[in-house]
Amino acid sequence: MTKLSVNVNKIATLRNARGGNVPDLLKVSKDLEGFGAQGITIHPRPDERHIRYQDARDLKKTVTTEFNIEGNPVPKFIELVLEVKPEQVTLVPDSVDAITSNAGWDTIRNKEFLTDVIKTFKDAGIRTSIFVDPDPKMIEGAKAVDTDRIELYTESYATDYKKNKEEAIKPFIEAAKRANELGIGINAGHDLSLDNIEYFAKNIPNLLEVSIGHALISEALYLGLDNVVNMYLHRLK
């Protein structure tokens, strides 16, 4: 069975928009685990506009499933990960001003850099994953830098799913087959949702884990509003 890791960045975004501690990131993460999530993912950025670096430290003390920290391995990020020591670190090549991740690594061009960073994390006992596009050459490059896993960047699949799901998933199947041949674990994430996740999971061989945040939190709003509105109405009677 493919594991579900929930990205809680959006919870932090909502908290930060108002100040204070509502919603409580730690409580939400604990509840998610209680509801069955098999991991918690965060993606701190240098400006800490959603997840704060202190959140990573606090979550390490409370997360009882797999803790996955994503991000661009700039010095500050590397220091944080080595301090917190999550079960997994996912390297993402996003720029400082990126709203969200928008590309995978060029594992060939960045071979020396990635090799050094991955060795640093693996020496500390942290499992490594690299965010990549569904390109067999990039998978081969990931093997060359000795990562434990790749995370397939699934935006193109999500975008094209409703047009032609068979064509949308083809490059991901080929990338997954190459990863399996090379003995690299497969994760996936970005814009996966209730609409498209089942087809993806059924067609990607040996998919170990998906990380889902924005869609899952948005779907929780839609699916939960009816219940909450009626709870308020009940109390107002």
Side-chain angles (χ1 to χ4, degrees):
M1 179 180 172
T2 303
K3 291 184 177 181
L4 170 65
S5 184
V6 179
N7 185 316
V8 293
N9 276 26
K10 285 296 183 293
I11 302 301
T13 299
L14 186 58
R15 174 200 63 189
N16 296 353
R18 187 68 180 264
N21 195 41
V22 178
D24 185 331
L25 182 73
L26 300 184
K27 184 180 186 306
V28 170
S29 298
K30 194 175 188 68
D31 287 343
L32 287 166
E33 291 181 309
F35 299 149
Q38 295 139 317
I40 298 296
T41 291
I42 60 172
H43 189 144
R45 288 185 164 85
D47 61 5
E48 301 187 62
R49 63 180 180 269
H50 35 63
I51 290 293
R52 299 166 183 155
Y53 275 44
Q54 187 58 44
D55 290 330
R57 300 182 181 101
D58 294 340
L59 283 164
K60 175 61 177 180
K61 300 172 186 176
T62 61
V63 171
T64 58
T65 56
E66 178 193 279
F67 190 24
N68 172 47
I69 301 182
E70 298 181 344
N72 193 338
V74 297
K76 184 180 178 183
F77 178 86
I78 293 173
E79 290 173 8
L80 177 72
V81 173
L82 292 176
E83 175 191 346
V84 173
K85 292 189 176 179
E87 282 71 32
Q88 178 174 267
V89 58
T90 301
L91 309 184
V92 183
D94 52 1
S95 60
V96 173
D97 60 348
I99 295 175
T100 186
S101 305
N102 53 25
W105 284 98
D106 184 329
T107 55
I108 298 171
R109 179 179 298 178
N110 295 284
K111 179 179 180 181
E112 184 176 350
F113 173 71
L114 290 171
T115 299
D116 290 344
V117 173
I118 287 168
K119 184 178 187 304
T120 297
F121 289 136
K122 291 180 77 169
D123 285 349
I126 304 167
R127 187 174 74 229
T128 58
S129 180
I130 299 179
F131 200 59
V132 294
D133 296 311
D135 180 343
K137 290 183 179 179
M138 294 301 108
I139 312 299
E140 292 162 6
K143 175 67 175 180
V145 302
D146 199 31
T147 188
D148 299 302
R149 297 187 183 184
I150 54 166
E151 179 172 329
L152 292 172
Y153 172 42
T154 51
E155 182 182 18
S156 63
Y157 164 75
T159 299
D160 296 335
Y161 175 80
K162 290 184 178 180
K163 302 173 190 174
N164 187 326
K165 62 184 180 182
E166 291 84 4
E167 287 299 317
I169 204 168
K170 273 185 180 180
F172 293 89
I173 294 174
E174 292 306 310
K177 286 179 179 178
R178 189 65 183 128
N180 286 327
E181 292 169 355
L182 295 170
I184 303 175
I186 304 170
N187 298 340
H190 203 89
D191 288 347
L192 294 174
S193 68
L194 285 174
D195 290 334
N196 59 43
I197 186 63
E198 184 175 7
Y199 185 76
F200 188 85
K202 286 184 175 179
N203 283 280
I204 300 301
N206 300 315
L207 178 63
L208 298 175
E209 178 183 305
V210 292
S211 174
I212 304 179
H214 181 79
L216 187 149
I217 300 304
S218 298
E219 288 157 348
L221 287 174
Y222 288 124
L223 297 172
L225 283 172
D226 182 22
N227 184 42
V228 175
V229 168
N230 279 279
M231 290 173 71
Y232 271 95
L233 292 173
H234 178 73
R235 285 158 175 73
L236 291 168
K237 286 181 179 178

